[in-house]
Amino acid sequence: MSTLHVLSHSPFTDDRLASCLRLLGSADALLLCGDAAYALQPGTAPCNELEARDGLKLYVLEEDLRARGLALPAWAEAVDYPGFVELSIQHDKVNTWL
């Protein structure tokens, strides 16, 4: 079974990203939205950790990426809201890290 993990909190204000990464299975995916998109700031510890994870299926809401003036790394994929819905359908479960 696969899980889509959805994070919306900044990785610089709490440890949800670290907790999520510890639980990710090989079939799971991670979607960054809201302030969680800041995890893609180049040169930061969260960005380096995400980039170093081999095989990570990482998505970010395109709207949130643009709103924060961030560039999309080559190892991540931007999705729109219909893409978010499609990811939710493709996975057996959705876990939102509130």
Side-chain angles (χ1 to χ4, degrees):
M1 286 184 49
S2 65
T3 301
L4 174 64
H5 296 268
V6 180
L7 285 169
S8 61
H9 293 80
S10 171
F12 302 106
T13 59
D14 63 36
D15 62 351
R16 285 181 182 102
L17 177 61
S19 296
C20 175
L21 291 176
R22 281 193 299 272
L23 295 177
L24 278 177
S26 60
D28 293 350
L30 173 58
L31 173 68
L32 304 175
C33 59
D35 285 344
Y38 285 122
L40 298 180
Q41 287 180 309
T44 63
C47 186
N48 293 341
E49 186 172 355
L50 290 170
E51 184 176 17
R53 290 192 61 107
D54 237 7
L56 174 63
K57 297 172 204 87
L58 179 67
Y59 303 90
V60 60
L61 273 179
E62 184 175 29
E63 178 178 299
D64 294 327
L65 193 66
R66 280 189 276 129
R68 287 154 182 81
L70 297 168
L72 179 67
W75 40 268
E77 183 178 336
V79 295
D80 55 12
Y81 282 100
F84 182 0
V85 172
E86 185 60 34
L87 285 171
S88 299
I89 293 168
Q90 290 173 2
H91 291 82
D92 300 305
K93 297 185 301 184
V94 177
N95 183 22
T96 302
W97 291 76
L98 299 174

